[in-house]
Each structure stands twice: as C-alpha cells, then as structure tokens.
C-alpha cells in the first residue's frame, strides 16, 4: 500500500454539460423524512429503548414531520416490538406515514410486511448497495448481479402488497445505497429497472432515495450526480427524488442544499445530525437555514432547547457548543467588535422599527428558536466597551452614555484580568457598584434642598444643604445658578472644588423595585485634564444630578 495521502483514490467528477443547479434557489421546503429512529438509532452506543423511541416519535410528530422512518423491524425482536407498539398503541396520527427499512432480501421483506400490519400509511423502504466498491468487496458481483437483487426485492414487495388484505396505504422507496459511489449511469439503470418491477406511475410514484452514504466528494459533485440522475431517469413523473446525505466531510447540509437546487424533492435526515459516523444531514440546520432566507421550513423549531433536552436524554449524545442554532455558544459574542455591532444592531432595530431582522453577527433571532437574548453578550478580557454597556443596559437598565463606555470598560477589563476569566452579568454589576455606587464618600451630603426662584423676570435655581468632609462636622452649602448643577458648583466653590470643570450630563429613569428613580451620569474634567464620570440616583431628577457631581468628585479624590 502507498504511504499517507497517496493511498487514497481521488473522487472522479462526473461529466455534466450545461449544469443548471447553480442558477437555482431554494424557495420552498422539501418533503422531510426523519430517520432519527433508524439511521440515527442504529449509530448509537446504546440504541433507544421502547419508551425513548415512542417519546422521540411523538416529538417528531409534534414538530410536523409527516414521514418518519421508525426502524428496521426485521432486524431484531426489539425493533419489531417497537413497530407493533407504535401501531397497536395508536401512536401514529392519520396524516403521518411510517417508513420501515429493509434489505432487498426475501425473509426480511416478509417479516417487514408482518411488522407493519394494521398501520394506516406505510412506506416500505428497501435497499441494496450498488457502489463500485461494494460490488467488488461485499457482493462480489457486477451491475447485473446487484440489479437482480433489487428487481427481485421489488417484485416481492409488489406481490406482497397485492396479496395484502388489510387497508394499509402502501408506498415504496428504493435506495441504491452508496448512490454517490455508484457510476451515475448505473444508478439510473438500476432505478429504471426497479420502477418497472414496482409498476410505478404518476399516481403511485416510487420514492427514489439517492444516498450519499459515505460523503466522499464536494457538495457540487453530489449536486451534479443528482441533476444527471433526474435528467436521465426514464419515467421522471413516476418518482419522487429523495436525498439522504451523510456528513463524513462535514458538508452534509451543504450537499443536501445543493442537491435540492439540482431538483430533489425530499430530504432524509436527523435532528442535530445524529447518525452513522459523523452523522446524517442535520434537519435542524437545514430547516433553519431556509428559515433565515425567508422560506417556511414547515417544521416547528420554535423550542430548540426542549428538542435538545429530549434528544440528549434519548440518544445519550451531546451537542457541540458550536453546533448551528442550538450550540451553547452560538448566541454569544465575546469579542469587542462583535459585541459593539450587536449592540448597535439591537438599537437600530428599536429605533428604526424595521420589519426585518438586521443584526450583525446574529443570522437568526434567538427568540425564533426559543432561546434568549440574555446570554448573547458575555464579558471577558477580549470584550470591548460596547459589550459591557450592553449588559448594563439589557440586564440592569443602566444606559451608560457613550462617552462613559471606555472608562467603565477599562474597569471591567481589569477585573477580568485579575480573575483570569469571563465575568457573569452579576459580577459586571459588582464592578459598576464598587466603582460608582459604593465609593468612599470624602464629601457626603447630609441635607439638600433645591428650588427655583424668579428675580427680575429671570429664573434662578438655589441649592442649600449640609455636607461632611472626611466625616468631620457638617459644613453649610449655599449657591445660586442657572440650573441645579451650576447652583451646586457655586455652593462648593469655597472648598476649592471648582477646580473640577463640568463637561456633560445625561439622565434617564430607572425602576428600582416599585419606585421609579432618575439616574444621572455626570462627566467632569479633573485638574490633570482627564475626564471622570460620576453617577447619582434619586427620585428627584435635580438631586440625582447633584449627587452625580459629588460622586465624580469623590471618585477623582480616591
Ligand atoms: C447504509 C445503511 O445504513 S443501511 C442500514 C444498515 N442497518 C443495519 O444493518 C441495521 C440492521 N441490520 C441487521 O440487524 C442485520 O444486518 C440484519 C438482521 C438485517 C441481517 O443480518 P445478517 O443477515 O445476519 O447479516 P448481514 O446484514 O451482515 O447480511 C450479510 C449478507 O446480506 C447481503 N446483503 C447485505 N445488504 C444487502 C441488501 N441491502 N440487499 C440484499 N442483500 C444484502 C450481504 O451480501 C451478505 O450476503 P452473504 O451472507 O451472502 O455474504
Ligand atoms: C439505507 C440507506 C438509505 C442509508 O441509510 C444510507 O445509504 O446511508
């Protein structure tokens, strides 16, 4: 054997003239078929037991699946019993079709028909592998050999259906398993033969399922194969083209999407991509990809956390934190520029009243999948000023003025570096509280009164009060100005505090318990030329401003 990469045989592109799929767009949902209970289940360390399968089945029904592959009933007693319980326990709604998988082998097909007795709607899904490799190493036969297996299987299925006395509505699905590893003209050939044997018609079409059983090529090649197949199958009207992508190269969803462009009508896959090896096509991702393009996926993804809980419990599989749409971290931004843009996007949505979702870095509204905005922005030492401001506003109702963001962000970053980790919102608030709300009060107001008076047709604001300095005896304050801040500055001038220059202020209401209070953000220039912010909170807006000035001075003198 050759060493390293040289031992692999490169996948051969097929020759497809004038391919059309690159110009197409996905505009509607395909027919979905969940194979969680079969392909997903057969790949588990411990396959689901009866209770788990039944719960999972109901979950799929509730999401809106109308076709569900429930298992391989001829494979084992457990699989058979689960199939019987679904039917006899009346778990299957009338508008849902159960699908059962079987190899194209006589005894297994007969057992399968027994297993589905009494069901209202059934798809008998039979398969045999047709790929070049499997013909060579598994079946040790040629194309005629595998075609014979398929035709015999199809004929038996037709015969058993014709002989069936119940009122089950049977449909058929055939998979040339390992389709993508089969010469495409051979895949067309065997499917033409299967259709003839089944007697497929426009009124009673067969599902031709084209599995990318092992993903071995780029998604464009799978799309080419599907387009070729569709253009060459003899009786196109009498078949529904179905996809069954796997994810060996990590592009299962992409393969499915491009093959839909190539004309397929139906998609088989699993929730969160469970399945053999690296999994099957992830229906949640594919469906939500459509959703975010304004296409109704016709499946309910509105409570992904609940789906995740059921999925993890029944399969004992874990979801990766980066898994699209459901991973723990997918609605979280740590980096500053992302946080800033998300913050601005949210503000834009609020201010503009846009009808569309227009938030950078968030391709979907977390609320649409039952997730919350809360954990969107998380704060670590890589976070920028926008992120901390977002959490202060979103979680605690403090809309820090933009000019204050750099000052607060520095305090947050220092704390993250001290702790060597991210800060949860509560800790972020503690940074705010320690640095603004609980600072040492060198100057503390003990009494204050602010009132307006008119003199000679002009309005003046008076500030009168008492203050302690470093806890010593109270001093009296009195000042007049054109507003409360001006009056207060005039009152504290005599202590040399006019060395601080007033720069800006902003204010908003904040609810604390049942009270509504005003919070003021005051920016002063210190004698060293640097600016500093202070915060004042009071039920009186004027008092809040004065407290903000004093808070800034106290912070400057710490
Ligand atoms: C790609 C997929 O996921 S396909 C689905 C795969 N899922 C499963 O296999 C799970 C359930 N399967 C099983 O439990 C078992 O395989 C059973 C019960 C169905 C059959 O068991 P067994 O007959 O004991 O073994 P096995 O599946 O290995 O069959 C091997 C024989 O069947 C033949 N065979 C395999 N697949 C097929 C097929 N689709 N159609 C016809 N013959 C087939 C093989 O060539 C081999 O023949 P040989 O004995 O002459 O060499
Ligand atoms: C039986 C077929 C559809 C299959 O599971 C596969 O090819 O992956």
């Amino acid at each position: 054997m050759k060493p390293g990469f040289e031992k692999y045989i490169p996948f051969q592109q097929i020759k497809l003239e004038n391919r059309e799929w690159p110009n197409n767009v996905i505009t509607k949902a395909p027919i979905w078929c969940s194979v969680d209970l079969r392909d997903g289940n057969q790949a588990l360390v411990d396959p689901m037991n009866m209770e788990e399968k039944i719960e999972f089945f109901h979950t799929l029904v509730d999401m809106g699946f109308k076709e569900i592959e429930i298992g391989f009933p001829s494979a084992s007693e457990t699989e058979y019993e689960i199939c019987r319980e679904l039917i006899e326990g009346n778990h299957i709604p009338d508008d849902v079709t159960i699908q059962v998988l079987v190899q194209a082998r006589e005894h297994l097909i007969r057992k399968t028909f027994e297993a589905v007795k009494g069901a209202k709607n059934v798809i008998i899904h039979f398969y045999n592998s047709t790929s070049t490799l499997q013909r060579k190493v598994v079946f040790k036969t040629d194309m005629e050999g595998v075609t014979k297996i398929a035709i015999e299987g199809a004929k038996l299925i037709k015969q058993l259906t014709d002989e069936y006395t119940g009122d089950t509505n049977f449909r058929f699905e055939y998979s040339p398993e390992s389709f993508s590893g089969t010469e495409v003209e051979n895949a067309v050939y065997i499917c033409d033969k299967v259709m003839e044997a089944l007697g497929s018609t426009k009124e009673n079409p067969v599902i031709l399922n084209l599995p990318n059983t092992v993903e071995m090529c780029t998604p464009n090649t799978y799309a080419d194969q599907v387009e070729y197949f569709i253009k060459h199958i003899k009786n196109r009207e009498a078949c529904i083209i179905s996809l069954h992508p796997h994810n060996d190269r990590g592009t299962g969803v992409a393969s499915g999407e491009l093959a839909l462009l190539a004309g397929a009508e139906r998609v088989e896959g699993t929730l969160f991509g469970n399945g053999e090896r690296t999994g099957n096509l992830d229906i949640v991702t594919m469906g939500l990809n459509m959703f975010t393009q304004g296409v109704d996926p016709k499946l309910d993804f509105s409570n992904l956390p609940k789906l995740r809980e059921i999925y993890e419990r029944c399969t004992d599989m874990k979801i990766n934190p980066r898994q699209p749409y459901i991973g723990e971290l997918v609605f979280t931004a740590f980096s500053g520029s992302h946080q800033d843009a998300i913050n601005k996007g949210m503000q834009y949505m609020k201010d503009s009243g846009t009808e569309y979702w227009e938030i950078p870095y968030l391709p979907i509204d977390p609320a649409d999948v039952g997730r919350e905005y809360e954990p969107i922005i998380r704060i670590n030492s890589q976070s920028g000023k926008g992120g901390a401001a977002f959490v202060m506003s979103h979680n605690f109702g403090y809309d820090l003025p933009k000019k204050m963001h750099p000052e607060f962000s520095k305090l947050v970053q220092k704390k993250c570096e001290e702790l060597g980790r991210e800060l949860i919102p509560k800790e972020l608030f503690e940074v705010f509280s320690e640095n603004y709300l609980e600072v040492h009060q060198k100057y503390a107001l003990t009494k204050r009164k602010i009132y307006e008076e008119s003199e000679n047709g002009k309005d003046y604001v008076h500030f009168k009060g008492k203050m302690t300095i470093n806890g010593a005896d109270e001093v009296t304050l009195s000042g007049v100005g054109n507003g409360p801040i001006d009056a207060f500055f005039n009152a504290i001038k005599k202590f040399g505090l006019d060395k601080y220059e007033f720069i800006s202020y902003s204010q908003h209401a904040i609810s604390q318990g049942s009270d509504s209070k005003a919070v003021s953000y005051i920016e002063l220039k210190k004698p060293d030329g640097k600016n500093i912010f202070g915060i004042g909170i009071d039920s009186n807006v004027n008092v809040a401003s004065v407290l903000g000035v004093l808070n800034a001075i106290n912070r400057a003198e710490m």
Side-chain angles (χ1 to χ4, degrees), residues 495-545:
F495 304 105
L497 295 178
D498 55 343
K499 64 184 174 191
Y500 293 101
E501 186 189 338
F502 171 75
I503 301 293
S504 72
Y505 112 111
S506 63
Q507 199 164 61
H508 63 80
I510 191 168
S511 294
Q512 291 193 334
S514 55
D515 297 351
S516 178
K517 291 198 169 181
V519 50
S520 288
Y521 306 88
I522 304 288
E523 182 186 14
L524 302 183
K525 181 176 273 178
K526 296 190 287 182
D528 65 4
K530 292 187 181 146
N531 289 8
I532 189 160
F533 276 85
I535 299 232
I537 301 174
D538 197 88
S539 47
N540 178 304
V541 289
N542 292 335
V543 174
S545 301

Coordinates of all heavy atoms in Angstrom, one line a residue, residues 495-545:
F495 N -14.8 75.4 48.9 CA -13.9 74.3 49.3 C -12.9 73.9 48.2 O -12.2 72.9 48.2 CB -14.7 73.0 49.7 CG -15.8 73.3 50.7 CD1 -17.1 73.4 50.4 CD2 -15.4 73.6 52.0 CE1 -18.1 73.7 51.3 CE2 -16.3 73.9 53.0 CZ -17.7 74.0 52.6
G496 N -12.8 74.8 47.2 CA -11.8 74.6 46.1 C -12.3 73.6 45.1 O -11.5 73.2 44.3
L497 N -13.6 73.2 45.2 CA -14.0 72.1 44.3 C -14.4 72.6 42.9 O -14.7 71.9 42.0 CB -15.2 71.4 44.9 CG -14.8 70.6 46.2 CD1 -16.0 69.9 46.8 CD2 -13.6 69.6 45.9
D498 N -14.2 74.0 42.7 CA -14.5 74.5 41.3 C -13.2 74.2 40.4 O -13.2 74.5 39.3 CB -14.8 76.0 41.3 CG -13.7 76.8 42.0 OD1 -12.9 76.2 42.8 OD2 -13.7 78.0 41.8
K499 N -12.2 73.5 41.0 CA -11.1 73.0 40.1 C -11.6 71.9 39.2 O -11.0 71.6 38.2 CB -10.0 72.5 41.0 CG -10.3 71.2 41.8 CD -9.2 70.8 42.7 CE -9.6 69.6 43.6 NZ -8.6 69.3 44.6
Y500 N -12.8 71.4 39.5 CA -13.4 70.4 38.5 C -14.3 71.1 37.6 O -15.1 72.0 38.0 CB -14.2 69.3 39.3 CG -13.4 68.5 40.2 CD1 -13.2 68.7 41.6 CD2 -12.6 67.4 39.6 CE1 -12.4 67.9 42.3 CE2 -11.8 66.6 40.4 CZ -11.7 66.9 41.7 OH -10.9 66.1 42.5
E501 N -14.2 70.8 36.3 CA -15.0 71.5 35.3 C -16.1 70.6 34.8 O -15.8 69.4 34.5 CB -14.1 71.9 34.1 CG -14.8 72.7 33.1 CD -13.9 72.9 31.8 OE1 -12.6 72.7 32.0 OE2 -14.4 73.1 30.8
F502 N -17.3 71.1 34.8 CA -18.4 70.3 34.4 C -18.4 70.2 32.8 O -18.2 71.1 32.1 CB -19.8 71.0 34.8 CG -21.0 70.4 34.2 CD1 -21.4 69.2 34.6 CD2 -21.6 71.0 33.1 CE1 -22.6 68.6 34.1 CE2 -22.7 70.4 32.5 CZ -23.2 69.2 33.0
I503 N -18.5 68.9 32.3 CA -18.4 68.7 30.9 C -19.7 68.3 30.3 O -20.2 68.8 29.3 CB -17.3 67.6 30.6 CG1 -16.0 68.0 31.1 CG2 -17.3 67.3 29.1 CD1 -15.4 69.2 30.4
S504 N -20.4 67.2 30.9 CA -21.6 66.8 30.2 C -22.5 66.0 31.3 O -22.0 65.6 32.3 CB -21.3 65.8 29.1 OG -20.9 64.6 29.6
Y505 N -23.7 65.9 30.9 CA -24.6 65.1 31.8 C -25.7 64.4 30.9 O -26.0 64.9 29.9 CB -25.2 66.0 32.9 CG -26.6 66.3 32.8 CD1 -27.5 65.7 33.8 CD2 -27.2 67.1 31.8 CE1 -28.8 66.0 33.8 CE2 -28.5 67.3 31.8 CZ -29.4 66.8 32.8 OH -30.7 67.0 32.8
S506 N -26.1 63.3 31.4 CA -27.3 62.7 30.8 C -28.0 62.0 31.9 O -27.5 61.7 33.0 CB -26.9 61.7 29.7 OG -26.2 60.6 30.2
Q507 N -29.3 61.7 31.6 CA -30.1 61.2 32.6 C -31.2 60.3 32.1 O -31.6 60.5 30.9 CB -30.8 62.4 33.3 CG -31.4 62.2 34.6 CD -31.7 63.5 35.3 OE1 -32.5 64.3 34.8 NE2 -31.1 63.8 36.4
H508 N -31.6 59.3 32.8 CA -32.8 58.5 32.4 C -33.5 58.0 33.6 O -32.9 57.9 34.7 CB -32.5 57.4 31.4 CG -31.6 56.4 31.9 ND1 -32.0 55.3 32.7 CD2 -30.3 56.2 31.8 CE1 -31.0 54.5 33.0 NE2 -29.9 55.0 32.4
A509 N -34.7 57.5 33.4 CA -35.5 56.9 34.6 C -35.0 55.5 34.7 O -34.7 54.8 33.7 CB -36.9 57.0 34.3
I510 N -35.0 55.0 35.9 CA -34.7 53.6 36.1 C -35.7 53.1 37.2 O -36.0 53.8 38.2 CB -33.2 53.5 36.6 CG1 -32.8 52.0 36.6 CG2 -33.0 54.1 37.9 CD1 -31.3 51.8 36.7
S511 N -36.1 51.8 37.0 CA -37.0 51.3 38.0 C -36.2 50.5 39.1 O -35.4 49.7 38.7 CB -38.0 50.4 37.4 OG -38.9 51.1 36.6
Q512 N -36.5 50.8 40.3 CA -35.9 50.0 41.4 C -37.0 49.5 42.3 O -37.6 50.3 43.0 CB -34.9 50.9 42.2 CG -33.7 51.2 41.4 CD -32.5 51.8 42.2 OE1 -32.8 52.4 43.3 NE2 -31.3 51.6 41.8
G513 N -37.3 48.3 42.2 CA -38.5 47.7 42.9 C -39.7 48.4 42.3 O -39.8 48.5 41.1
S514 N -40.5 48.9 43.2 CA -41.8 49.5 42.6 C -41.5 51.0 42.3 O -42.3 51.7 41.7 CB -42.9 49.4 43.6 OG -42.5 49.9 44.9
D515 N -40.4 51.6 42.8 CA -40.1 53.0 42.6 C -39.5 53.2 41.2 O -38.7 52.5 40.7 CB -39.0 53.5 43.5 CG -39.4 53.4 45.0 OD1 -40.6 53.1 45.2 OD2 -38.5 53.6 45.8
S516 N -39.8 54.4 40.7 CA -39.0 54.9 39.5 C -38.1 56.0 40.0 O -38.5 56.9 40.7 CB -40.0 55.3 38.5 OG -39.3 55.8 37.4
K517 N -36.8 55.9 39.6 CA -35.9 56.9 40.1 C -35.2 57.4 38.8 O -35.3 56.9 37.8 CB -34.9 56.3 41.0 CG -35.4 55.9 42.3 CD -34.4 55.7 43.4 CE -35.1 55.6 44.7 NZ -34.1 55.4 45.8
A518 N -34.5 58.5 39.1 CA -33.7 59.1 38.0 C -32.2 58.7 38.2 O -31.7 58.7 39.4 CB -33.8 60.6 37.9
V519 N -31.5 58.3 37.1 CA -30.1 58.1 37.3 C -29.4 59.1 36.4 O -29.8 59.3 35.2 CB -29.7 56.7 36.9 CG1 -30.2 56.2 35.7 CG2 -28.2 56.5 36.9
S520 N -28.4 59.9 37.0 CA -27.7 60.9 36.2 C -26.2 60.5 36.0 O -25.6 59.9 37.0 CB -27.6 62.2 37.0 OG -28.9 62.8 37.0
Y521 N -25.7 60.7 34.9 CA -24.3 60.4 34.6 C -23.7 61.8 34.4 O -24.0 62.5 33.4 CB -24.2 59.6 33.3 CG -25.0 58.3 33.3 CD1 -26.4 58.3 32.9 CD2 -24.5 57.1 33.8 CE1 -27.1 57.2 32.9 CE2 -25.3 56.0 33.8 CZ -26.6 56.0 33.4 OH -27.4 54.9 33.5
I522 N -22.7 62.1 35.2 CA -22.0 63.4 35.1 C -20.6 63.2 34.7 O -19.9 62.4 35.3 CB -22.1 64.1 36.5 CG1 -23.5 64.2 37.0 CG2 -21.4 65.4 36.5 CD1 -24.4 65.2 36.3
E523 N -20.2 64.0 33.8 CA -18.8 64.0 33.3 C -18.1 65.3 33.8 O -18.6 66.4 33.5 CB -18.7 63.8 31.8 CG -17.3 63.7 31.3 CD -17.3 63.7 29.7 OE1 -18.3 64.1 29.1 OE2 -16.3 63.4 29.2
L524 N -17.0 65.1 34.5 CA -16.2 66.3 34.9 C -14.8 66.2 34.3 O -14.3 65.1 34.1 CB -16.1 66.4 36.4 CG -17.4 66.4 37.3 CD1 -17.0 66.5 38.8 CD2 -18.3 67.6 36.8
K525 N -14.2 67.4 34.2 CA -12.8 67.4 33.8 C -12.0 67.6 35.1 O -12.2 68.6 35.9 CB -12.5 68.5 32.8 CG -11.0 68.5 32.4 CD -10.7 69.4 31.3 CE -10.9 68.7 30.0 NZ -10.8 69.4 28.8
K526 N -11.0 66.8 35.3 CA -10.2 66.9 36.6 C -9.1 68.0 36.3 O -8.7 68.3 35.1 CB -9.5 65.6 36.9 CG -10.5 64.5 37.2 CD -9.8 63.2 37.8 CE -9.1 62.5 36.7 NZ -8.5 61.3 37.2
P527 N -8.4 68.4 37.4 CA -7.4 69.4 37.2 C -6.2 68.9 36.3 O -5.6 69.7 35.6 CB -6.8 69.6 38.6 CG -8.0 69.3 39.5 CD -8.7 68.2 38.8
D528 N -6.0 67.5 36.2 CA -5.0 67.0 35.4 C -5.4 66.9 33.9 O -4.7 66.4 33.1 CB -4.5 65.6 35.9 CG -5.6 64.6 35.8 OD1 -6.7 64.9 35.3 OD2 -5.4 63.4 36.2
G529 N -6.6 67.4 33.6 CA -7.1 67.4 32.2 C -7.8 66.2 31.8 O -8.4 66.1 30.7
K530 N -7.8 65.1 32.7 CA -8.5 63.9 32.3 C -10.0 64.0 32.8 O -10.2 64.6 33.8 CB -7.8 62.7 33.0 CG -6.5 62.4 32.4 CD -5.9 61.1 32.9 CE -4.5 60.9 32.3 NZ -3.6 60.3 33.2
N531 N -10.8 63.3 32.1 CA -12.3 63.3 32.4 C -12.6 62.1 33.3 O -12.0 61.1 33.2 CB -13.1 63.3 31.2 CG -13.0 64.6 30.4 OD1 -12.2 65.4 30.8 ND2 -13.8 64.8 29.4
I532 N -13.6 62.3 34.1 CA -14.1 61.2 35.0 C -15.6 61.3 35.1 O -16.2 62.4 35.0 CB -13.4 61.4 36.4 CG1 -13.7 60.1 37.2 CG2 -13.8 62.6 37.1 CD1 -12.8 59.9 38.4
F533 N -16.3 60.2 35.3 CA -17.7 60.1 35.4 C -18.2 59.9 36.8 O -17.5 59.2 37.6 CB -18.3 59.0 34.5 CG -18.5 59.5 33.1 CD1 -17.4 59.4 32.2 CD2 -19.7 60.0 32.6 CE1 -17.6 59.9 30.9 CE2 -19.8 60.5 31.3 CZ -18.8 60.4 30.4
G534 N -19.3 60.4 37.1 CA -20.0 60.1 38.4 C -21.4 59.8 38.2 O -22.0 60.1 37.1
I535 N -22.0 59.0 39.1 CA -23.4 58.6 39.0 C -24.2 59.1 40.2 O -23.7 58.9 41.4 CB -23.4 57.1 38.9 CG1 -22.6 56.6 37.7 CG2 -24.9 56.5 38.9 CD1 -23.2 55.8 36.8
G536 N -25.4 59.6 40.0 CA -26.3 60.0 41.1 C -27.6 59.3 40.8 O -28.1 59.4 39.7
I537 N -28.2 58.8 41.9 CA -29.5 58.2 41.7 C -30.5 58.8 42.8 O -30.1 58.8 44.0 CB -29.5 56.7 41.9 CG1 -28.5 56.1 40.9 CG2 -30.9 56.0 41.8 CD1 -28.2 54.6 41.1
D538 N -31.6 59.3 42.4 CA -32.5 59.8 43.4 C -33.9 59.9 42.7 O -34.0 59.9 41.5 CB -32.1 61.2 43.8 CG -32.8 61.6 45.1 OD1 -32.3 61.3 46.2 OD2 -33.9 62.2 45.0
S539 N -34.9 60.0 43.6 CA -36.3 60.1 43.0 C -36.5 61.5 42.4 O -37.4 61.7 41.6 CB -37.3 59.8 44.0 OG -37.0 60.4 45.2
N540 N -35.7 62.4 42.9 CA -35.7 63.8 42.3 C -34.6 64.0 41.3 O -33.4 63.8 41.6 CB -35.6 64.8 43.5 CG -35.6 66.2 43.0 OD1 -34.8 66.6 42.1 ND2 -36.4 67.0 43.6
V541 N -35.0 64.4 40.1 CA -34.0 64.4 39.0 C -32.9 65.4 39.3 O -31.7 65.2 39.0 CB -34.6 64.8 37.6 CG1 -35.5 63.7 37.1 CG2 -35.5 66.1 37.7
N542 N -33.2 66.6 39.9 CA -32.2 67.6 40.3 C -31.2 67.1 41.3 O -30.0 67.2 41.2 CB -32.9 68.9 40.8 CG -33.6 69.5 39.7 OD1 -33.3 69.3 38.5 ND2 -34.7 70.3 40.0
V543 N -31.8 66.4 42.3 CA -30.9 65.8 43.3 C -30.0 64.7 42.7 O -28.8 64.7 43.0 CB -31.8 65.2 44.5 CG1 -30.9 64.5 45.5 CG2 -32.6 66.3 45.2
A544 N -30.6 64.0 41.8 CA -29.7 62.9 41.1 C -28.5 63.5 40.4 O -27.4 63.0 40.5 CB -30.6 62.1 40.1
S545 N -28.7 64.7 39.8 CA -27.6 65.4 39.1 C -26.6 65.9 40.1 O -25.4 65.7 39.9 CB -28.1 66.6 38.3 OG -29.1 66.2 37.4

